[in-house]
Amino acid sequence: MKDYFKKIFSYKTTWALLVISLFSIGLSLCRKLITGQVFYMFLLWNLFLAFVPWFAASIVYIKNIKNKLLLIVIIIFWLVFFPNAPYILTDLIHLGKGNLMPVWYDLILLLSFGLTGMIYGFVSLQMIEEKIRIVFKIKHASIISFFLIYVSCFGIYLGRFLRWNSWDIVKNIDGVFDDIFQRIIYPGDHRTTWVFTFLFGTLLNILYIVFKQEELKIKQTQQ
């Protein structure tokens, strides 16, 4: 475990995530202390759920896992929780619901958590993508990431608008898969699902490409 912490904190993105996470938590706690309102405290739980896929991906990335079956199992676990990271961006729909603080404060609060979740997601996806490329010798692993982002946005729709969460895959798997199959078998009856998935997925794919390009520039500068 000591070796894990040594390696994970050797990456600048880990320190950046730590700082922005603490900033987000600080904003949330300050709001609670000033207003006594607990409404936006759910963001802390959402941030933890965004941390889970990053943590899983970081273990896969750092540990020298060569067993393909084990790696697939961990990636499936990661994928189940991955939508929780960019999901926090959709918490912006709550802006204006807590009226005891200026709206600009709540905007900063929601943006801070949303962007933090998105970065957790992008970093974890990049780690998984790199591991897939190396272990499975897939040259264009970025194509898999492209589709995984759309899959995650479908999951985000299930969570945001149908109110399913990652734990329901264990607690109520029949209900979850019924909603999924209904949308696959009868796509015309669920246009909103697919329009949301396409638009939000396209937005995140564009942002992910920009994120990776900036990461590449930083690495090239350091060499």
Side-chain angles (χ1 to χ4, degrees):
M1 204 64 180
K2 183 179 178 180
D3 184 57
Y4 165 80
F5 282 111
K6 182 179 179 181
K7 287 184 178 179
I8 198 63
F9 279 104
S10 68
Y11 303 124
K12 290 184 178 180
T13 52
T14 303
W15 289 102
L17 281 168
L18 177 61
V19 171
I20 194 171
S21 295
L22 292 175
F23 176 73
S24 301
I25 293 169
L27 286 175
S28 183
L29 294 178
C30 284
R31 191 185 194 286
K32 171 65 171 60
L33 289 173
I34 293 171
T35 67
Q37 201 174 47
V38 298
F39 176 71
Y40 281 114
M41 296 301 288
F42 69 84
L43 291 168
L44 297 176
W45 175 247
N46 286 354
L47 185 61
F48 170 74
L49 292 177
F51 169 82
V52 171
W54 175 86
F55 181 64
S58 68
I59 293 176
V60 169
Y61 187 71
I62 289 174
K63 298 295 182 180
N64 188 25
I65 300 176
K66 296 181 179 179
N67 186 309
K68 293 182 179 179
L69 180 59
L70 175 61
L71 186 59
I72 289 172
V73 171
I74 297 175
I75 290 175
I76 291 173
F77 172 84
W78 166 83
L79 183 59
V80 169
F81 285 90
F82 174 61
N84 291 312
Y87 172 90
I88 310 182
L89 286 169
T90 67
D91 283 326
L92 280 167
I93 67 172
H94 295 298
L95 182 63
K97 292 183 180 179
N99 55 8
L100 297 181
M101 287 289 280
V103 68
W104 57 262
Y105 186 93
D106 288 343
L107 175 62
I108 295 172
L109 174 69
L110 290 167
L111 282 175
S112 180
F113 274 93
L115 292 174
T116 303
M118 183 185 73
I119 297 171
Y120 268 120
F122 283 172
V123 173
S124 74
L125 179 58
Q126 191 174 31
M127 288 177 175
I128 293 295
E129 179 184 318
E130 182 67 12
K131 201 68 177 181
I132 289 174
R133 185 184 65 79
I134 294 172
V135 175
F136 295 98
K137 295 180 172 55
I138 299 176
K139 185 177 181 180
H140 300 292
S142 58
I143 296 176
I144 296 176
S145 297
F146 175 82
F147 286 105
L148 287 179
I149 286 177
Y150 281 108
V151 170
S152 75
C153 288
F154 180 79
I156 290 170
Y157 182 89
L158 295 178
R160 170 55 65 194
F161 301 105
L162 302 186
R163 306 311 299 160
W164 293 115
N165 60 59
S166 300
W167 310 108
D168 285 316
I169 293 179
V170 176
K171 294 191 302 181
N172 191 0
I173 190 170
D174 291 339
V176 173
F177 277 95
D178 181 61
D179 273 339
I180 292 173
F181 288 142
Q182 287 295 321
R183 280 157 179 75
I184 293 174
I185 297 173
Y186 306 108
D189 295 337
H190 303 282
R191 293 186 183 89
T192 302
T193 301
W194 298 111
V195 172
F196 173 88
T197 300
F198 173 75
L199 293 179
F200 198 38
T202 301
L203 172 63
L204 290 183
N205 264 303
I206 293 171
L207 292 175
Y208 181 59
I209 291 171
V210 173
F211 171 81
K212 286 208 300 181
Q213 289 300 315
E214 290 304 313
E215 281 282 292
L216 181 61
K217 287 181 182 178
I218 293 173
K219 289 180 180 179
Q220 289 175 343
T221 302
Q222 293 174 341
Q223 291 177 350

